[in-house]
Amino acid sequence: FHQTETATGRLSSSNPNLQNIPVRGVWAERLRDTFHAPDGYVFVSFDYSQIELRIIAHLSQDKKMGEAFSRDEDIHIFTASLVWGVPINDVDAKMRELAKTLNFGILYGISASRFARSSGLALPEARAFLRNYFHHFEGVARYIEDTKERARREGYVETLLGRRRYLPDIHSSSHAPRLQAERMAVN
């Protein structure tokens, strides 16, 4: 396990990369059956249960998201309910999956066009979904914009523990590198 190899500060692993072993699909079970712990040892699996979303809820102080986590609600069902304006019991699997895609996509700077492509929604629907998301999760929207502004002002972003990620392209006159730097800042 590596604590300092990723630009974002996330924990990574190698030889093998245990974070990319499939969970679902035709080969997942067969592949997982190839791992065996030595006698006297066991493999333990940890699921951080949407840790990135819990972190953004904390950092952004978003009331709705924080309350949903406090009530131990399924954050994707909760999000779908808000964005589509339907009761939680009326959220179906497709709605939940779209909300999940957006919940995590927001953290990586997903655009309306990318969300439309990945979700199969028409571009106007994807735009409306994003607008509704930020309308309901105002704290998250504010945090994202504040983070981009801070990155533009200081040229870097910083974790709570002081690890810095410098973003030289944050002032680029070229659109694509500047947007990429903004995504990196939020991420």
Side-chain angles (χ1 to χ4, degrees):
F1 288 97
H2 313 287
Q3 294 178 323
T4 58
E5 289 191 9
T6 65
T8 60
R10 286 185 179 88
L11 190 64
S12 67
S13 65
S14 60
N15 298 320
N17 181 343
L18 297 170
Q19 294 163 305
N20 288 334
I21 298 168
V23 176
R24 293 183 247 351
V26 177
W27 292 98
E29 187 174 341
R30 291 178 69 186
L31 180 60
R32 287 174 173 269
D33 284 344
T34 65
F35 290 88
H36 298 279
D39 288 340
Y41 293 88
V42 296
F43 277 118
V44 179
S45 175
F46 295 96
D47 181 353
Y48 291 113
S49 188
Q50 303 139 354
I51 190 70
E52 294 101 332
L53 297 174
R54 293 172 188 272
I55 290 170
I56 195 74
H58 172 75
L59 292 175
S60 70
Q61 295 297 297
D62 188 277
K63 288 184 184 352
K64 288 180 183 175
M65 192 176 281
E67 288 171 2
F69 280 123
S70 292
R71 291 187 305 266
D72 204 26
E73 290 191 42
D74 179 310
I75 192 66
H76 307 309
I77 290 175
F78 179 78
T79 299
S81 172
L82 286 177
V83 173
W84 269 290
V86 300
I88 284 184
N89 293 337
D90 291 344
V91 173
D92 63 26
K94 172 81 171 156
M95 294 165 83
R96 183 189 184 278
E97 191 59 33
L98 289 174
K100 180 178 180 179
T101 298
L102 190 54
N103 271 331
F104 287 112
I106 291 294
L107 304 177
Y108 300 100
I110 198 167
S111 65
S113 58
R114 174 170 259 164
F115 181 54
R117 281 192 309 274
S118 67
S119 67
L121 293 174
L123 185 55
E125 284 180 293
R127 283 187 180 125
F129 200 99
L130 275 164
R131 269 193 311 275
N132 283 343
Y133 184 96
F134 286 125
H135 170 75
H136 288 289
F137 296 112
E138 294 172 347
V140 173
R142 188 173 39 258
Y143 176 79
I144 288 171
E145 290 309 311
D146 289 352
T147 299
K148 291 178 193 177
E149 181 55 38
R150 195 168 38 255
R152 284 189 283 272
R153 191 174 55 249
E154 298 174 5
Y156 63 87
V157 288
E158 194 171 56
T159 67
L160 291 174
L161 298 177
R163 182 180 175 150
R164 288 184 180 178
R165 184 174 192 181
Y166 289 90
L167 303 161
D169 287 335
I170 197 73
H171 299 292
S172 176
S173 59
S174 181
H175 187 69
R178 188 176 61 252
L179 287 179
Q180 179 64 23
E182 288 178 358
R183 283 190 292 273
M184 288 179 186
V186 173
N187 184 248

